[in-house]
């Protein structure tokens, strides 16, 4: 593809810049440092969520709530390329953008594709206005990245479904208003069938959110326990036992989000760190900085390919399968590099460390990225089978009723 912007795209970028510069919060939305976003401090966390909601409402009021949603649902109806341009410029100016990825980026497009008119009317405006935050209740302790292996059950009782089970690695569940929930509704069907996709109010009795404290000291992820949780039948998305279609829509939008994401650390920040620590003349560090710059450029152009596919209405191809793994490995390499630049001072913590411990967080936080959204090993399996066409693993559970699969 041609990576140069067309005149129309350049004009759109100028429009984005003009609006953003006229409307950004005075403080840019608060600290950009990830430790200020996910630290185990409810006051800091709640303040960040409030800033995100306020900024989303500002975007909505200005007609920028979503670049890619259809116009009839409050979006601009533009392409993934336009969305990428806006996010690039937004990331340079505003930090309070992190709590709507699941809602606006994943649940919203799934509702648009599979929801009833009543569901769209109820949920889409609240998402886009920033009134409600969403989380993703997919992963489970036993199933992990194998969504077909989920064991949370939903049993119908009149006009309601009674749900029991456990979810894990649920980002932002502690401050979410709604969740997209996968359940097993027919164990007599094979593992990828008999699954139903629910929209669940996170304040429903029987839902318990327990934080998972990470190695960084933050508690961004959560365990979520569901005990006799009652969900109205009208909150099913896509039909009973036919959840795999909405699941694929959600995951394809998740891949597009990954492809359109901006690295949390920019190259000029790494150069500044090298200068601060006096390692900018170290030939080994300079070589690693060159490798980092190269990886960042590769990731940027991979992201352009994903955007291009989505802008044409296509599902992302092999580039999306490699994108998540490439980003995870990049975070690992970059974490090692920033610790090497810190030297012995890398053992310090918080206020005692350079930049209030940001670089220690960068190093320790890499494993969250390498687990969330599918582990590195799962990504390698996907690439080997779906991209390279290598023989798949032997699956003894394929095609047999889920109830017959050993626990």
């Amino acid at each position: 593809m041609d990576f140069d912007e067309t005149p129309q795209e350049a004009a759109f970028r100028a429009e984005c810049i003009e609006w953003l510069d006229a409307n950004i919060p005075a403080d840019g939305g608060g600290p950009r440092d990830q430790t200020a976003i996910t630290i185990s401090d409810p006051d800091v966390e709640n303040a960040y969520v409030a800033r995100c909601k306020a900024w989303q409402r500002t975007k909505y009021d200005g007609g920028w709530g979503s670049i890619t949603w259809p116009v009839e649902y409050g979006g601009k109806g533009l392409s993934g390329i336009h969305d990428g341009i806006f996010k690039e410029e937004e990331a340079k100016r505003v930090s309070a953008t992190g709590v709507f990825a699941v809602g606006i980026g994943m649940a919203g497009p799934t509702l648009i594709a599979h929801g009833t008119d009543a569901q769209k009317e109820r949920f889409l405006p609240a998402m886009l206005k920033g009134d409600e935050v969403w989380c993703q209740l997919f992963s489970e302790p036993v199933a992990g990245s194998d969504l077909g292996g989920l064991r949370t059950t939903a049993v119908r009782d009149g006009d309601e479904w009674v749900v029991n089970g456990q979810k894990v690695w649920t980002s932002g569940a502690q401050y979410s208003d709604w969740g997209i929930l996968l359940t097993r509704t027919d164990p007599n069907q094979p593992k990828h069938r008999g699954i139903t996709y629910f929209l669940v109010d996170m304040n429903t009795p029987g839902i318990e959110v327990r934080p998972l404290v990470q190695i960084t000291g933050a508690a961004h992820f959560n365990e979520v326990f569901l005990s006799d949780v009652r969900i109205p039948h009208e909150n099913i998305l896509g039909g009973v036992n036919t959840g795999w279609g909405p699941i694929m829509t959600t995951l394809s939008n998740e891949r597009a989000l990954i492809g359109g994401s901006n690295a949390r650390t920019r190259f000029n920040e790494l150069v500044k760190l090298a200068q601060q620590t006096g390692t900018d003349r170290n030939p080994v560090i300079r070589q690693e900085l060159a490798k980092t710059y190269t990886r960042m450029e590769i990731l940027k152009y991979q992201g352009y390919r994903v955007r291009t596919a989505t802008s044409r209405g296509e599902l992302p191809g092999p580039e999306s399968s490699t994108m998540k793994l490439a980003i995870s490995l990049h975070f690992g390499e970059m974490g090692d590099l920033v610790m090497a630049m810190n030297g012995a001072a890398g053992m310090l913590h918080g206020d005692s460390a350079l930049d209030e411990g940001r670089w220690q967080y960068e190093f320790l936080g890499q494993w969250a990225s390498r687990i969330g959204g599918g582990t590195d090993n799962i990504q390698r399996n996907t690439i080997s089978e779906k991209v390279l066409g290598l023989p798949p693993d032997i699956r003894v559970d394929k095609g047999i009723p889920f109830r017959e699969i050993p626990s």
Side-chain angles (χ1 to χ4, degrees):
M1 62 170 289
D2 185 357
F3 292 110
D4 294 330
E5 288 183 350
T6 66
Q8 292 79 12
E9 290 164 355
F12 179 74
R13 185 181 294 276
E15 183 184 356
C16 293
I17 291 171
E18 181 181 4
W19 185 85
L20 286 165
D21 286 346
N23 290 277
I24 57 174
D27 63 351
R32 184 176 298 279
D33 186 355
Q34 292 292 311
T35 59
I37 295 174
T38 58
I39 195 168
S40 301
D41 184 332
D43 291 336
V44 171
E45 186 172 71
N46 291 337
Y48 175 71
V49 173
R51 291 196 300 272
C52 287
K53 287 185 172 184
W55 174 240
Q56 181 59 36
R57 183 58 190 244
T58 297
K59 290 195 292 184
Y60 174 83
D61 290 342
W64 298 84
S66 171
I67 306 301
T68 56
W69 280 22
V71 173
E72 59 266 34
Y73 299 117
K76 281 190 173 294
L78 299 176
S79 71
I81 296 289
H82 293 91
D83 187 51
I85 290 171
F86 180 83
K87 287 178 178 176
E88 284 175 4
E89 297 301 332
E90 181 184 35
K92 296 174 185 176
R93 296 164 172 81
V94 184
S95 62
T97 60
V99 303
F100 293 102
V102 174
I104 295 174
M106 296 160 59
T110 307
L111 271 161
I112 290 170
H114 301 277
T116 64
D117 289 342
Q119 289 172 338
K120 294 173 185 177
E121 183 178 352
R122 162 61 184 86
F123 294 111
L124 294 179
M127 278 185 194
L128 219 55
K129 292 176 183 178
D131 292 341
E132 294 174 343
V133 177
W134 288 65
C135 63
Q136 184 188 53
L137 299 161
F138 281 19
S139 294
E140 296 189 4
V142 175
S145 295
D146 177 17
L147 289 181
L150 67 89
R151 296 178 179 275
T152 294
T153 62
V155 178
R156 187 161 188 175
D157 181 18
D159 292 331
E160 296 179 318
W161 291 78
V162 181
V163 178
N164 286 278
Q166 180 185 354
K167 300 292 179 176
V168 73
W169 310 123
T170 307
S171 300
Q174 70 273 34
Y175 52 70
S176 290
D177 304 289
W178 285 83
I180 47 178
L181 169 68
L182 302 184
T183 68
R184 176 79 51 191
T185 44
D186 188 354
N188 293 311
Q189 295 195 40
K191 62 187 296 185
H192 290 93
R193 303 174 189 170
I195 294 174
T196 301
Y197 192 123
F198 285 93
L199 312 174
V200 59
D201 184 341
M202 292 298 290
N203 293 309
T204 304
I207 296 179
E208 180 184 3
V209 177
R210 299 182 190 174
L212 291 170
V213 179
Q214 296 148 233
I215 193 172
T216 58
H220 179 65
F221 296 124
N222 301 273
E223 298 176 290
V224 179
F225 295 85
L226 303 109
S227 302
D228 293 331
V229 175
R230 290 185 169 269
I231 304 177
H233 181 76
E234 64 192 29
N235 282 19
I236 288 176
L237 185 65
V240 178
N241 295 330
T242 58
W244 205 251
I247 289 172
M248 290 297 99
T249 301
T250 299
L251 295 182
S252 68
N253 280 280
E254 184 177 36
R255 289 195 294 267
L257 278 172
I258 293 172
S261 63
N262 294 285
R264 61 191 179 204
T265 299
R266 299 190 184 90
F267 184 73
N268 65 336
E269 294 174 302
L270 297 177
V271 172
K272 181 180 177 182
L273 174 63
Q275 293 168 341
Q276 285 178 300
T277 56
T279 57
D280 54 321
R281 295 294 179 182
N282 183 314
V284 175
I285 296 298
R286 290 170 68 90
Q287 185 62 42
E288 291 303 316
L289 282 169
K291 291 179 181 178
T292 300
Y293 179 82
T294 302
R295 288 195 307 271
M296 286 180 167
E297 288 297 293
I298 292 171
L299 287 169
K300 179 176 73 174
Y301 287 113
Q302 280 185 301
Y304 286 167
R305 293 179 66 188
V306 174
R307 291 179 195 170
T308 300
T310 56
S311 70
R312 294 172 178 167
E314 304 168 0
L315 287 177
E319 63 276 7
S320 67
S321 300
T322 59
M323 192 77 185
K324 171 59 168 60
L325 180 60
I327 287 175
S328 296
L329 297 179
H330 168 66
F331 286 158
E333 295 283 349
M334 190 168 60
D336 291 344
L337 173 58
V338 298
M339 284 296 96
M341 287 193 282
N342 270 271
M347 299 298 292
L348 299 177
H349 175 69
D351 294 341
S352 300
L354 182 65
D355 294 332
E356 299 181 336
R358 171 186 177 175
W359 304 110
Q360 286 79 354
Y361 188 94
E362 192 81 49
F363 173 75
L364 294 173
Q366 64 175 280
W367 285 279
S369 300
R370 300 175 74 169
I371 295 172
T375 65
D376 288 357
N377 287 338
I378 287 292
Q379 302 303 325
R380 289 188 174 97
N381 280 348
T382 299
I383 292 167
S384 67
E385 296 178 17
K386 305 297 185 183
V387 178
L388 301 178
L390 297 177
D393 288 339
I394 296 174
R395 295 182 171 90
V396 297
D397 58 4
K398 188 174 182 179
I400 67 173
F402 185 80
R403 67 166 61 252
E404 296 180 12
I405 299 174
S407 300

